[in-house]
Amino acid sequence: MNILDWNALESDGQARALTRPVQAVAAQTRESVAGLIAQVRADGDVALRAISARFDGVVPESFEVSEAEFAAAELAVPAELRIAMQQALDRIDVYHRAGMAQPYSVETAPGVVCEKMIRPIGRVGLYVPAGSAPLPSTALMLGVPARLAGCSEVVLCTPPRKDGTADPAVLVAARLTGVHRVFKLGGAQAIAAMAYGTATVPSCDKLFGPGNSFVTEAKQQVAQDGAAAIDMPAGPSEVLVIADAGANPAFVAADLLSQAEHGPDSQVLLLSDDAGLIAAVQDEVEKQVALLAREDIARKALDTSLLIKVESIEQAFVISNRYAPEHLILALREPRDWLPQVEAAGSVFLGDYTPEALGDYCSGTNHVLPTAGAARAYSGVSVASFQNQISVQAATREGIANIGPCALTLARAEGLGAHANAVALRLGVAP
Amino acid sequence: MNILDWNALESDGQARALTRPVQAVAAQTRESVAGLIAQVRADGDVALRAISARFDGVVPESFEVSEAEFAAAELAVPAELRIAMQQALDRIDVYHRAGMAQPYSVETAPGVVCEKMIRPIGRVGLYVPAGSAPLPSTALMLGVPARLAGCSEVVLCTPPRKDGTADPAVLVAARLTGVHRVFKLGGAQAIAAMAYGTATVPSCDKLFGPGNSFVTEAKQQVAQDGAAAIDMPAGPSEVLVIADAGANPAFVAADLLSQAEHGPDSQVLLLSDDAGLIAAVQDEVEKQVALLAREDIARKALDTSLLIKVESIEQAFVISNRYAPEHLILALREPRDWLPQVEAAGSVFLGDYTPEALGDYCSGTNHVLPTAGAARAYSGVSVASFQNQISVQAATREGIANIGPCALTLARAEGLGAHANAVALRLGVAP
């Protein structure tokens, strides 16, 4: 990891330090994905079989997971894991349920009632990656809010394993959350199938979930085409830790590494006003990384990661808000006192005993979060992500008598005569 | 307007009837917009001047509206219009304020508190069109929720008039809502300037508002590039009216026409179970359209619009949900009883005395709504559109003792050793 002194940098050096290592999507990826999508649109299931054979090295006998496979998955998953998934699910449910938007109604003028109705998005598609590791936790993070929203059909795609089956833990997690149908499909082909539909995969109104660069590019392309909405743009995972002199270097190092092991393009930043802490964290990272099963991946991520010395914790928050990290860990003595300083981040972790791993799995918050600075204008997945909010208005004769003249004046000012006429007719006046 | 009998159509005829007249964005538009954006990114204000001269036929001396211009606008706007804008603003404020998301906190396990914080998006850019007519109402619809959200910098772009000034009503509306800076810029160049920033126009985190095909394509491109988020994809305005035998044909015709006058590509649909009502509406449309100042535009829109005979009001709702209209008018005897049938729509208007024009201007709901079927998975603009929701979690030692083992089990199952280690270190156990 490289150490930088923030205040010794010129402004372009500072900007460079906060630039994500990811580059723009390669033109080649964009074209490949466009080609795969076109193939699925043209040839449906036939294309899905051809593409799966090419990329996954296997064509499942049936893409849809059967009852027999779900039953086998239940037997294959150890009891301890099943219980842990249920516990995580329960906490995710409690947190997400508490934040659900409520319908409301307000009289904006005598005889004019304006309301908000909340409706589930009809059919939603969830993507659960299974690259270097299958992620049953992602099935929980997407399935729970989909169920709370009341979506009538929840579809989940996850890549097949080499033997053509799906990861049992992902299947059990999907069933625990009430997902309706699971397909063994990965990559851009899964996204294309859920967006446009094939004979076996239904077309969905909105797609959710993380994925590799092909998956995220495919989500962007189907959204751009208007085929399906998507949860958010996605990039590699990232964490920013703000630590003071009192932080525990071993804890901070462990948190940095739990981000770094996600992938070689993960980004990890530490900001501290204490040079001693930074040095101690660096030592700890070296010690801990050598013990990791995913040491190679973590080391690659660390190559582009930074330990930054700042002049004060206040300055650290200015930098953090500019960077807008997906995960923000406050390894500070009175972390709650600093919360008002947080303007842009996906999810925040307070104090020495709240490692990011808790939020990744089971504190209750969602782990599908905005990356690559998107936290400046996007929020993580919530129940609202699976709902439409529809406004409703009802005016009585008295109501339109009260507000109609205002509408008439504005319609005339905008030169929209038919608008004026629609109001004037009800008022019995000239438009 | 063409009359169709829904149940006499084959399924492909039904699908065709519900296909929006808009086609995919022309490749030429896409390329032109990409070129304009590239020009603004490369040459900043110089490009803005060149593009404005070319498309608007004028280069304002300064793009930013000065205090003197605001003062002149205040004098130019008639008192009646100013009052109407203030009244509309007040009702928009009441409705939007009542629906604001609240922060919350919940204990998901002993010693584990999960929260949601709400923060304004820092800098937002509003686009207010001024093509065939300037739209001060759009400035209100965007400016009010931006102010309620507490955005620290609200920027607004609106095209200059031929004399290089901005429409006075738009300026007054902008000031009423507390917009901080207004620029006389239109089209794709305005979107590019707000997304990437120039010497005079600040770069914004999220862009809002309707516009022509160049503006909407530019919004899509800057969002795709990750430069700025956008409120929603946008297309031509549209209305679907469901009317029963008791509906007033003149009112229904006026509502259809107030949509049709927006533009030649506006889409207008009437669904009724009563052939007599359909015939009467057709007659009324003919009578009323001839009296409109914007008759030519309305007639063009009517060419692709449909009056559809359905077998029942229940069937009308099935069709409407499939179409997912931006505006849905229920010209029914007991409209509220039918609300539970509405699954997808932007905004709903109940009964004979709630013309769409009320929602366009001053009932209190927002008129920036999802079009082109996007209402299946997008909602209209609200205060939440201008906010980030940030999750927060805090575990004590007791808290991680309670949920840490669950996280450990899941991390091990996913093969993420550093995640397990970050938890195990705090628990004082082996990862």
Side-chain angles (χ1 to χ4, degrees), chain A residues 175-196:
Chain A
R175 269 293 160 95
L176 284 175
T177 65
V179 164
H180 300 99
R181 302 176 71 184
V182 177
F183 295 88
K184 291 173 283 184
L185 273 169
Q189 63 273 28
I191 300 302
M194 291 194 285
Y196 297 98

Short mmCIF file of all heavy atoms in Angstrom, two decimals, chain A residues 175-196:
data_model
loop_
_atom_site.label_atom_id
_atom_site.label_comp_id
_atom_site.label_asym_id
_atom_site.label_seq_id
_atom_site.Cartn_x
_atom_site.Cartn_y
_atom_site.Cartn_z
N ARG A 175 -35.04 -19.54 -1.71
CA ARG A 175 -36.30 -20.09 -1.20
C ARG A 175 -36.71 -19.45 0.13
O ARG A 175 -37.89 -19.18 0.37
CB ARG A 175 -36.17 -21.61 -1.00
CG ARG A 175 -36.59 -22.41 -2.22
CD ARG A 175 -38.08 -22.25 -2.45
NE ARG A 175 -38.49 -22.58 -3.79
CZ ARG A 175 -38.95 -23.77 -4.17
NH1 ARG A 175 -39.02 -24.76 -3.32
NH2 ARG A 175 -39.34 -23.96 -5.42
N LEU A 176 -35.72 -19.18 0.99
CA LEU A 176 -36.03 -18.55 2.28
C LEU A 176 -36.70 -17.19 2.07
O LEU A 176 -37.57 -16.79 2.83
CB LEU A 176 -34.76 -18.35 3.11
CG LEU A 176 -34.16 -19.59 3.79
CD1 LEU A 176 -32.83 -19.22 4.46
CD2 LEU A 176 -35.12 -20.15 4.84
N THR A 177 -36.29 -16.48 1.03
CA THR A 177 -36.85 -15.14 0.82
C THR A 177 -38.11 -15.18 -0.03
O THR A 177 -38.73 -14.13 -0.25
CB THR A 177 -35.85 -14.21 0.10
OG1 THR A 177 -35.63 -14.72 -1.21
CG2 THR A 177 -34.54 -14.11 0.85
N GLY A 178 -38.48 -16.36 -0.52
CA GLY A 178 -39.72 -16.44 -1.29
C GLY A 178 -39.57 -16.10 -2.76
O GLY A 178 -40.56 -15.81 -3.44
N VAL A 179 -38.34 -16.13 -3.28
CA VAL A 179 -38.15 -15.96 -4.73
C VAL A 179 -38.99 -17.01 -5.46
O VAL A 179 -39.05 -18.17 -5.03
CB VAL A 179 -36.64 -16.11 -5.08
CG1 VAL A 179 -36.43 -16.32 -6.57
CG2 VAL A 179 -35.87 -14.89 -4.59
N HIS A 180 -39.65 -16.60 -6.55
CA HIS A 180 -40.59 -17.52 -7.21
C HIS A 180 -39.92 -18.50 -8.17
O HIS A 180 -40.29 -19.67 -8.24
CB HIS A 180 -41.68 -16.73 -7.94
CG HIS A 180 -42.47 -15.86 -7.02
ND1 HIS A 180 -42.23 -14.50 -6.87
CD2 HIS A 180 -43.48 -16.15 -6.16
CE1 HIS A 180 -43.08 -14.00 -5.98
NE2 HIS A 180 -43.83 -14.97 -5.53
N ARG A 181 -38.96 -17.99 -8.97
CA ARG A 181 -38.34 -18.86 -9.97
C ARG A 181 -36.84 -18.58 -10.05
O ARG A 181 -36.42 -17.42 -10.02
CB ARG A 181 -38.96 -18.61 -11.36
CG ARG A 181 -40.46 -18.85 -11.38
CD ARG A 181 -41.04 -18.50 -12.75
NE ARG A 181 -40.65 -19.49 -13.76
CZ ARG A 181 -40.98 -19.38 -15.06
NH1 ARG A 181 -41.66 -18.33 -15.50
NH2 ARG A 181 -40.63 -20.31 -15.90
N VAL A 182 -36.04 -19.63 -10.14
CA VAL A 182 -34.58 -19.47 -10.23
C VAL A 182 -34.09 -20.12 -11.52
O VAL A 182 -34.51 -21.24 -11.86
CB VAL A 182 -33.87 -20.12 -9.02
CG1 VAL A 182 -32.35 -20.01 -9.16
CG2 VAL A 182 -34.32 -19.47 -7.72
N PHE A 183 -33.23 -19.40 -12.23
CA PHE A 183 -32.66 -19.90 -13.48
C PHE A 183 -31.15 -19.98 -13.36
O PHE A 183 -30.51 -19.06 -12.82
CB PHE A 183 -33.04 -18.99 -14.65
CG PHE A 183 -34.52 -18.97 -14.92
CD1 PHE A 183 -35.35 -18.07 -14.26
CD2 PHE A 183 -35.09 -19.87 -15.81
CE1 PHE A 183 -36.72 -18.06 -14.49
CE2 PHE A 183 -36.45 -19.88 -16.05
CZ PHE A 183 -37.27 -18.96 -15.39
N LYS A 184 -30.60 -21.06 -13.90
CA LYS A 184 -29.14 -21.24 -13.89
C LYS A 184 -28.56 -20.57 -15.13
O LYS A 184 -28.31 -21.20 -16.16
CB LYS A 184 -28.81 -22.74 -13.86
CG LYS A 184 -29.18 -23.39 -12.52
CD LYS A 184 -29.00 -24.89 -12.54
CE LYS A 184 -30.17 -25.53 -13.28
NZ LYS A 184 -30.10 -27.01 -13.26
N LEU A 185 -28.40 -19.29 -15.00
CA LEU A 185 -27.92 -18.47 -16.11
C LEU A 185 -27.02 -17.39 -15.53
O LEU A 185 -27.36 -16.78 -14.52
CB LEU A 185 -29.08 -17.77 -16.80
CG LEU A 185 -29.82 -18.50 -17.91
CD1 LEU A 185 -31.09 -17.74 -18.27
CD2 LEU A 185 -28.92 -18.62 -19.14
N GLY A 186 -25.90 -17.14 -16.19
CA GLY A 186 -25.00 -16.11 -15.70
C GLY A 186 -24.70 -15.09 -16.77
O GLY A 186 -25.18 -15.19 -17.91
N GLY A 187 -23.91 -14.09 -16.40
CA GLY A 187 -23.36 -13.14 -17.37
C GLY A 187 -24.38 -12.29 -18.08
O GLY A 187 -25.54 -12.15 -17.68
N ALA A 188 -23.91 -11.70 -19.18
CA ALA A 188 -24.76 -10.80 -19.97
C ALA A 188 -25.99 -11.52 -20.51
O ALA A 188 -27.06 -10.92 -20.67
CB ALA A 188 -23.95 -10.21 -21.13
N GLN A 189 -25.85 -12.84 -20.76
CA GLN A 189 -26.99 -13.59 -21.29
C GLN A 189 -28.14 -13.65 -20.28
O GLN A 189 -29.32 -13.61 -20.66
CB GLN A 189 -26.55 -14.99 -21.76
CG GLN A 189 -25.99 -15.93 -20.69
CD GLN A 189 -24.49 -15.76 -20.48
OE1 GLN A 189 -23.93 -14.68 -20.70
NE2 GLN A 189 -23.84 -16.82 -20.00
N ALA A 190 -27.80 -13.73 -18.99
CA ALA A 190 -28.85 -13.75 -17.96
C ALA A 190 -29.59 -12.41 -17.94
O ALA A 190 -30.83 -12.35 -17.86
CB ALA A 190 -28.25 -14.03 -16.58
N ILE A 191 -28.83 -11.33 -18.03
CA ILE A 191 -29.43 -9.99 -18.01
C ILE A 191 -30.31 -9.80 -19.25
O ILE A 191 -31.45 -9.31 -19.16
CB ILE A 191 -28.32 -8.91 -17.96
CG1 ILE A 191 -27.46 -9.08 -16.70
CG2 ILE A 191 -28.93 -7.51 -18.04
CD1 ILE A 191 -28.22 -9.02 -15.39
N ALA A 192 -29.81 -10.22 -20.41
CA ALA A 192 -30.60 -10.09 -21.64
C ALA A 192 -31.90 -10.89 -21.54
O ALA A 192 -32.97 -10.42 -21.93
CB ALA A 192 -29.77 -10.55 -22.83
N ALA A 193 -31.79 -12.10 -21.00
CA ALA A 193 -32.98 -12.96 -20.89
C ALA A 193 -34.02 -12.32 -19.98
O ALA A 193 -35.22 -12.29 -20.30
CB ALA A 193 -32.58 -14.34 -20.36
N MET A 194 -33.58 -11.78 -18.84
CA MET A 194 -34.54 -11.18 -17.90
C MET A 194 -35.11 -9.87 -18.44
O MET A 194 -36.21 -9.47 -18.09
CB MET A 194 -33.90 -10.97 -16.53
CG MET A 194 -33.60 -12.29 -15.80
SD MET A 194 -33.23 -12.06 -14.03
CE MET A 194 -31.56 -11.39 -14.11
N ALA A 195 -34.34 -9.17 -19.27
CA ALA A 195 -34.83 -7.89 -19.80
C ALA A 195 -35.82 -8.10 -20.94
O ALA A 195 -36.87 -7.45 -20.99
CB ALA A 195 -33.67 -7.02 -20.28
N TYR A 196 -35.49 -8.99 -21.85
CA TYR A 196 -36.32 -9.14 -23.05
C TYR A 196 -37.22 -10.36 -23.01
O TYR A 196 -38.18 -10.45 -23.79
CB TYR A 196 -35.43 -9.19 -24.30
CG TYR A 196 -34.66 -7.90 -24.51
CD1 TYR A 196 -33.34 -7.79 -24.10
CD2 TYR A 196 -35.29 -6.78 -25.07
CE1 TYR A 196 -32.65 -6.60 -24.26
CE2 TYR A 196 -34.60 -5.60 -25.23
CZ TYR A 196 -33.28 -5.50 -24.83
OH TYR A 196 -32.59 -4.32 -24.99
#
